[in-house]
Amino acid sequence: MTAEAAILPFPHRHLLGIEGLSPLEIGHLLDQSETYVEVNRQAEKAKSSLLGRTIVNLFFENSTRTRTSFELAAKRLEGDVINMSVATSSVKKGETLIDTAMTLNAMHPDVLVVRHPDSGAVKLLSEKVNCAVINAGDGSHEHPTQALLDALTIRRRKGRIAGLTIAICGDIVHSRVARSNIHLLTTMGARVRIVAPRTLLPTAADRFGVEVFTDMREGLDGCDIIMMLRLQTERMHGNFFPSIREYFKFFGLDYEKVALAKPDALIMHPGPMNRGVEIDSDVADDFGRSAIREQVEMGVAVRMAVLQILAANLPSTDPRNL
Ligand code: CP
C-alpha cells in the first residue's frame, strides 16, 4: 500500500491533543506513520503530498526534536516551511499571541505548528485562524505528536499496545508528554502506571484512569515499558525534592531498578534527557534495552503522517477568497 493510497477521513481540522480521539483515529494515525518509517529509510524520501502548501513552525519555547522533525517532515512531503524565530520576532516588542497569529494568518499559511509555555494557548490560537493548527506542546497540557511517536515505537517493538503494562515515571505534574501518553495508552487498552514522588504527582492523579505509585520499586514491578520523564526545573517554583542526588537515588533509572521490570522491558525517554538525574547514562545508551533513538526516528514519520492527514482536509480554495 502506498502512503498516498492509505488516506482515510480524519474528522478534525486541527490536532490539539490526544484527548477525545477514538481508538480508530489513533490507529489510523499510527498506520499512516508506519508507511513513512519505510519511506524515511530509503535514499529517495520525497513525496509530494504537501506540494504547494505552506507550513509555519511557531515555537515560543525551545525545541530540538519537535521543531526539526516537523521541518524535515514538511520538506520530505515537498511543502514550503517557514521557521519563525520568536526570539527575533515582534513578540519581543510586545505583540500578543493572538496578534501574532492573526498576522501570520493574513499570509495564508496552510498549517501552523505551535509550541507555547501556557496550557490552552494553542487551542486559543486555533480559534482565530483559518488554517490547520498542530499542538507541538502547550505548557503541561498536551504534546500529541510525542504520544503518537511513543505509541508507534511501542507498537513496532512489542507488536501491540493493548494489554501492556506501561510505567510513566518522574515529573508527572509538569509533563504534557505524560498527559498525552496517558490519554493515548489508556484509549488503546494499555494498563498505565504513573510513578513519582508525591510532590511531582498532579492533585487529581487518581482520576486519570491509571494506577498511582510513589515507590519506584513497586511501580516498575513486572512492567513491559519504562517511560522516564525529564525533571522540568524550568517550570518549578520552590523545592519539589531535597536534592538531585536524593532524587536519582529513589527515582532515577539505573540497572538495579530496571531489573524490577520484565526481562524484555523497553526503556523510553522523550528527551531531552538529564543524564544522572532521571536516568543513568549507561541505561540510556543501552541499545539492547533503550528505544530512545528509535523514538526520535519515529517522530519524523509521525509528523509526516499528521501533516499529510490534516492537509488532506484543507479546502483546495482558501475560504477567504470565496
Ligand atoms: N521531546 C521533545 O518535545 O523534545 P524537544 O523539546 O527537543 O522538541
Side-chain angles (χ1 to χ4, degrees):
M1 190 191 295
T2 66
E4 280 76 9
I7 301 177
L8 294 170
F10 184 73
H12 305 280
R13 184 167 141 216
H14 310 298
L15 181 66
L16 300 176
I18 297 295
E19 188 176 15
L21 294 186
S22 68
L24 209 63
E25 289 164 357
I26 292 169
H28 172 47
L29 287 164
L30 296 179
D31 291 345
Q32 191 61 16
S33 303
E34 189 72 54
T35 66
Y36 285 121
V37 176
E38 300 316 317
V39 168
N40 287 336
R41 288 180 178 176
Q42 291 161 17
E44 173 55 63
K45 300 176 182 62
K47 297 274 168 192
S48 57
S49 40
L50 291 184
L51 198 64
R53 298 295 190 185
T54 308
I55 293 88
V56 179
N57 275 333
L58 178 57
F59 278 57
F60 292 85
E61 266 188 354
N62 294 342
S63 168
T64 298
R65 281 147 283 268
T66 313
R67 202 180 92 149
T68 310
S69 58
F70 265 114
E71 181 177 359
L72 210 52
K75 284 183 171 163
R76 286 190 182 160
L77 297 175
E78 300 193 3
D80 295 317
V81 192
I82 308 293
N83 287 310
M84 209 190 102
S85 166
V86 170
T88 55
S89 72
S90 291
V91 170
K92 292 292 167 194
K93 299 177 194 162
E95 191 160 55
T96 65
L97 170 69
I98 298 305
D99 284 339
T100 304
M102 301 295 275
T103 301
L104 292 173
N105 193 50
M107 299 181 202
H108 301 243
D110 295 293
V111 184
L112 277 179
V113 181
V114 187
R115 172 171 287 189
H116 198 278
D118 297 334
S119 301
V122 182
K123 181 172 189 304
L124 180 69
L125 184 148
S126 75
E127 289 160 4
K128 310 287 177 192
V129 297
N130 304 84
C131 59
V133 176
I134 300 173
N135 182 1
D138 64 323
S140 56
H141 177 227
E142 281 235 33
H143 190 353
T145 55
Q146 179 68 46
L148 287 165
L149 75 88
D150 291 339
L152 185 62
T153 307
I154 294 169
R155 204 176 73 162
R156 285 174 64 84
R157 284 286 195 111
K158 297 289 180 189
R160 66 195 165 106
I161 295 172
L164 294 177
T165 300
I166 301 174
I168 306 177
C169 312
D171 186 356
I172 309 282
V173 73
H174 298 109
S175 179
R176 54 199 177 206
V177 174
R179 271 171 193 74
S180 288
N181 264 303
I182 289 168
H183 289 307
L184 191 152
L185 296 169
T186 54
T187 302
M188 300 307 275
R191 185 174 168 190
V192 179
R193 302 173 179 176
I194 54 175
V195 189
R198 277 187 207 290
T199 50
L200 292 176
L201 282 170
T203 42
D206 53 339
R207 280 190 251 146
F208 286 16
V210 298
E211 291 176 90
V212 183
F213 293 87
T214 53
D215 183 322
M216 260 311 243
R217 293 178 176 278
E218 291 171 15
L220 293 184
D221 186 36
C223 71
D224 296 285
I225 308 284
I226 307 172
M227 192 180 284
M228 298 305 298
L229 297 173
R230 181 174 69 88
L231 263 188
Q232 299 194 35
T233 48
E234 75 275 19
R235 297 191 209 280
M236 293 180 190
H237 305 289
N239 295 327
F240 286 76
F241 46 86
S243 68
I244 293 290
R245 200 174 142 158
E246 187 155 324
Y247 183 81
F248 182 74
K249 183 175 173 208
F250 290 104
F251 291 94
L253 189 67
D254 54 16
Y255 277 116
E256 213 183 308
K257 297 190 190 82
V258 169
L260 299 162
K262 283 191 181 155
D264 63 346
L266 198 62
I267 296 161
M268 302 177 71
H269 192 304
M273 279 184 283
N274 291 313
R275 291 171 183 266
V277 177
E278 69 262 358
I279 190 164
D280 175 73
S281 229
D282 290 344
V283 171
D285 295 336
D286 183 338
F287 295 118
R289 309 288 305 266
S290 164
I292 296 170
R293 299 266 169 89
E294 199 174 318
Q295 287 173 265
V296 177
E297 181 190 0
M298 295 307 122
V300 181
V302 159
R303 283 151 188 148
M304 288 170 85
V306 169
L307 285 169
Q308 180 206 3
I309 286 168
L310 293 186
N313 282 350
L314 291 169
S316 50
T317 307
D318 191 315
R320 288 163 294 197
N321 297 334
L322 297 174

